[in-house]
Amino acid sequence: MSMFKDFRAFATKGNVVDLAVGVIIGGAFGKIVESMVQDIIMPIVGKIFGGLDFASYYIPLNGQPYGLSLAEAKKAGAVFAYGNFVTILINFIILAFIIFQMIRLINKARDLTSKQEEAAPAAPPAPTEDVLLLREIRDALKK
């Protein structure tokens, strides 16, 4: 029973929950970026490089003819599928750039918040009991 309590305490900590939410959102965001790269960016790049689907560019390594689709060429033997690699690389670069921009904005917001906290004047510390007693003595002597 103690192990269950320890696991529940671990699983409900803020960091674990934040990490789980981050992984779920990151997976969904990754799919969005993957779709953007495959459906929007790579067709334009493919058009620039000859009008073909860029992800199907490959170099045959087992003597396959060049006219085959990538799937057919893979069935016939090993291929060097550089087009698919370039597509995944562009996907990664875009995703990394967006995450970099998000972290940059978060850091700017944190810096702004800390500057605002520093700018707010701190209340002077309350006088100690000794200082209060000395003030009473001073005021009594004045009278």
Side-chain angles (χ1 to χ4, degrees), residues 7 9-23:
F7 178 74
F10 167 77
T12 57
K13 280 186 180 176
N15 293 343
V16 175
V17 174
D18 291 344
L19 179 63
V21 170
V23 167

Side-chain angles (χ1 to χ4, degrees), residues 115-130:
K115 285 180 183 178
Q116 288 175 349
E117 289 174 0
E118 289 174 3
T128 62
E129 188 175 326
D130 295 342

Side-chain angles (χ1 to χ4, degrees), residues 8-134:
R8 185 177 58 182
F10 167 77
T12 57
K13 280 186 180 176
N15 293 343
V16 175
V17 174
D18 291 344
L19 179 63
V21 170
V23 167
I24 292 168
I25 291 174
F29 186 69
K31 288 180 182 180
I32 291 169
V33 171
E34 181 179 341
S35 174
M36 183 181 76
V37 169
Q38 289 179 356
D39 300 332
I40 296 172
I41 294 173
M42 292 315 291
I44 295 170
V45 173
K47 180 74 172 171
I48 292 170
F49 287 105
L52 298 175
D53 178 18
F54 198 77
S56 66
Y57 283 0
Y58 66 92
I59 297 173
L61 299 176
N62 282 352
Q64 303 95 321
Y66 276 100
L68 299 175
S69 70
L70 179 61
E72 292 172 352
K74 282 184 177 182
K75 286 179 185 176
V79 295
F80 181 70
Y82 67 91
N84 192 35
F85 175 76
V86 170
T87 302
I88 291 171
L89 183 66
I90 290 173
N91 187 4
F92 170 76
I93 289 171
I94 291 171
L95 191 60
F97 179 74
I98 291 170
I99 290 172
F100 168 73
Q101 292 298 330
M102 289 172 53
I103 290 173
R104 210 169 137 222
L105 287 173
I106 289 169
N107 287 339
K108 282 184 181 182
R110 283 183 186 162
D111 290 344
L112 182 62
T113 302
S114 65
K115 285 180 183 178
Q116 288 175 349
E117 289 174 0
E118 289 174 3
T128 62
E129 188 175 326
D130 295 342
V131 172
L132 292 174
L133 187 57
L134 288 171

